[in-house]
Amino acid sequence: MRDNILLSVIVPIYNIKEYIDKCIASICKQSYKNLEIILVDDGSTDGCSQICDDYAEKDPRIHVIHKENGGLVSARKAGAEAAAGEYVINVDGDDWIERERLQNLVNEIKKNSPDMVCIDGFVREYGETYHVTVNFLDIKRAVYVGREKIREFLENALDSKHFYTQKIPFTQWCWAVRRELYKKVQKQIDNRINMCEDVLCITACILESSKISCMADNSYHYIQRDNSIVCCFHTDELKLWYQQYYKLLEEHDLLGRLHFLLNQTVMLHLLGANYQAFFKREKNYLFPFPEVIPGSRVILYGVGNLGRKIAQVLQNGCENYNMVLWIDKNSGRMIDNYKISGIDEICKVEYDYIVIANIRTYLSEQIKNDLIRAGAVEEKIVLIDAETINNVKFPEGFEIG
């Protein structure tokens, strides 16, 4: 493989003016220079369009696509169609990357010439002070060659004994993919899908690959923000995603072996889209925390989508549980007229349980350790119960053929 590999960096952008400057600047300042930077402005109305154009005037490697708002999938498709590089890599417009990320990637590509590169590791940022470095520790830094090895690699993606415990990342910005493969797969994804499209795209790319290389690199900074697109789920859209993913697994004769992955992904998003349906149906405990029975005094940890859904049902006329505190590392804010407290406040109230409303096991364990260090009683800290999630039936009205 020649030394000067062209990378196509696709950045989907929609109304993220507060973040986009740092994102684009971090790409332009990469130590590896042979890039084309494709900024896809998906109908922004907050000034992002002008920022993109201003950068394009300064850096000839930047190509700006202005289009009508069509959602994340349509933006990625537009970027893929315009790409000319040997490999495509995505960076979300509200995130940023460290200076050596793309050089490290190119070094891996030169070494193994794979169809895909899995870049394991990132830094999750909450506000200005709370950062967590995440690695999928079970992933092997190795090269997987041949369809059967790659199918095994995919089958090991999730731990079926725990709820959504990922062993490999499915997020697009964790992967570099050969352009023609990425373009082919992205073209097949329905534009109406705007949640979990990463899982669909990456799974399809993996199943079409003959060689996958895995490397460790914590140089991507993922910004957790309150109004992120991932906070908005719709049951109809989830059905559409399910149908397309079901068909993909069926075509590759993997439905039986990977059905739990399909179901866990649906459950993950149903918790955010329709949590109240589960809450109303389970009368004997606070779903999905079987230890938390009616009459309990609850400290709720987490201001993400699930945390907010639980807070809403606990605050809106629920007499069975008493939410004595709502806490998060990123504290001091008002959400739904409720002040978010810091974890240091737990020692000032009486409680029966601290409920960690986080669906990512690797993060929940880190949060649990933080709470114990802050003085929480370990026996009173509860995480999402995997068995409860795996055995529950979908809510009525969510029948998919």
Side-chain angles (χ1 to χ4, degrees):
M1 179 172 285
R2 64 187 181 82
D3 291 335
N4 206 21
I5 299 167
L6 177 64
L7 297 181
S8 295
V9 184
I10 299 175
V11 186
I13 298 164
Y14 178 69
N15 286 355
I16 45 173
K17 185 178 180 180
E18 180 181 349
Y19 305 92
I20 190 60
D21 184 79
K22 185 172 184 178
C23 173
I24 300 174
S26 74
I27 301 170
C28 292
K29 294 176 182 178
Q30 288 292 297
S31 61
Y32 188 77
K33 302 300 182 184
N34 195 26
L35 315 173
E36 62 167 5
I37 304 167
I38 303 172
L39 308 179
V40 185
D41 169 30
D42 191 33
S44 296
T45 58
D46 67 343
C48 282
S49 303
Q50 187 59 54
I51 294 173
C52 292
D53 289 341
D54 290 344
Y55 267 98
E57 290 182 4
K58 301 173 187 176
D59 193 325
R61 299 174 300 173
I62 293 177
H63 172 44
V64 182
I65 299 173
H66 296 292
K67 60 184 287 295
E68 292 184 5
N69 180 250
L72 182 57
V73 171
S74 72
R76 293 202 197 279
K77 285 182 180 179
E81 286 295 324
E86 294 175 52
Y87 289 82
V88 169
I89 186 166
N90 280 267
V91 177
D92 286 354
D94 47 358
D95 300 334
W96 64 278
I97 57 177
E98 296 177 18
R99 189 171 185 271
E100 298 300 321
R101 180 173 181 80
L102 298 185
Q103 180 62 67
N104 294 340
L105 168 63
V106 167
N107 291 344
E108 184 73 18
I109 291 172
K110 288 179 181 178
K111 181 180 178 181
N112 293 305
S113 190
D115 297 316
M116 301 177 71
V117 179
C118 176
I119 312 171
D120 178 31
F122 63 96
V123 178
R124 184 188 293 264
E125 297 189 7
Y126 300 80
E128 297 180 357
T129 58
Y130 180 31
H131 299 170
V132 176
T133 301
V134 178
N135 289 93
F136 299 86
L137 298 178
D138 290 323
I139 191 173
K140 294 182 179 179
R141 274 62 176 181
V143 180
Y144 297 83
V145 181
R147 291 299 175 89
E148 190 56 36
K149 285 291 184 182
I150 287 173
R151 286 161 71 95
E152 291 176 8
F153 171 79
L154 181 59
E155 287 176 36
N156 291 328
L158 293 184
D159 180 352
S160 59
K161 296 180 181 179
H162 300 89
F163 179 60
Y164 221 74
T165 301
Q166 292 174 261
K167 295 184 178 181
I168 65 170
F170 283 98
T171 315
Q172 287 205 34
W173 41 258
C174 287
W175 292 84
V177 186
R178 285 193 186 274
R179 172 174 51 86
E180 289 305 321
L181 172 58
Y182 180 79
K183 182 177 177 180
K184 172 187 174 182
V185 167
Q186 195 66 46
K187 188 180 294 186
Q188 296 170 352
I189 300 176
D190 195 304
N191 282 356
R192 294 171 291 174
I193 297 174
N194 282 301
M195 44 68 59
C196 216
E197 48 88 27
D198 295 74
V199 178
L200 188 56
C201 175
I202 295 304
T203 302
C205 286
I206 289 173
L207 290 172
E208 293 286 336
S209 295
S210 298
K211 181 187 281 191
I212 294 175
S213 178
C214 300
M215 60 179 285
D217 191 311
N218 292 311
S219 59
Y220 190 99
H221 289 251
Y222 170 69
I223 311 302
Q224 184 76 58
R225 56 190 179 94
D226 293 338
N227 59 343
S228 172
I229 189 172
V230 296
C231 291
C232 304
F233 304 123
H234 303 284
T235 304
D236 289 343
E237 185 181 340
L238 191 54
K239 290 180 181 179
L240 183 64
W241 177 91
Y242 184 104
Q243 290 163 354
Q244 190 159 1
Y245 201 62
Y246 188 102
K247 182 179 178 182
L248 173 66
L249 296 182
E250 192 174 43
E251 289 175 348
H252 288 270
D253 195 27
L254 282 171
L255 194 57
R257 295 157 78 179
L258 285 177
H259 200 267
F260 77 92
L261 188 157
L262 180 65
N263 285 348
Q264 284 200 4
T265 304
V266 170
M267 282 302 306
L268 179 150
H269 292 289
L270 274 179
L271 283 173
N274 202 12
Y275 174 76
Q276 195 168 15
F278 295 105
F279 178 80
K280 288 181 177 179
R281 193 172 63 184
E282 304 299 339
K283 305 295 184 183
N284 299 320
Y285 65 94
L286 179 67
F287 186 85
F289 309 95
E291 305 98 323
V292 184
I293 60 175
S296 300
R297 297 164 297 180
V298 175
I299 294 177
L300 176 64
Y301 182 102
V303 295
N305 196 42
L306 178 59
R308 295 189 189 204
K309 295 292 186 180
I310 294 176
Q312 287 172 5
V313 298
L314 293 181
Q315 292 179 75
N316 295 335
C318 177
E319 299 178 355
N320 293 331
Y321 304 92
N322 178 19
M323 188 173 78
V324 297
L325 209 61
W326 191 2
I327 63 174
D328 194 83
K329 271 279 187 116
N330 193 8
S331 59
R333 297 174 292 166
M334 296 293 296
I335 297 178
D336 297 332
N337 297 318
Y338 199 104
K339 184 179 179 180
I340 307 303
S341 301
I343 63 175
D344 56 317
E345 296 291 315
I346 59 179
C347 296
K348 300 178 182 179
V349 299
E350 294 184 356
Y351 61 92
D352 298 306
Y353 297 100
I354 301 178
V355 169
I356 299 180
N358 192 298
I359 46 81
R360 309 286 183 180
T361 302
Y362 62 85
L363 277 179
S364 295
E365 292 293 345
Q366 293 175 4
I367 292 167
K368 180 179 179 179
N369 292 333
D370 289 341
L371 291 171
I372 293 171
R373 284 192 290 269
V377 179
E378 183 174 2
E379 292 74 17
K380 294 184 177 183
I381 302 174
V382 294
L383 283 60
I384 288 178
D385 182 70
E387 186 176 354
T388 297
I389 290 289
N390 289 335
N391 292 333
V392 75
K393 296 180 180 179
F394 293 150
E396 185 178 351
F398 194 82
E399 295 83 11
I400 302 177

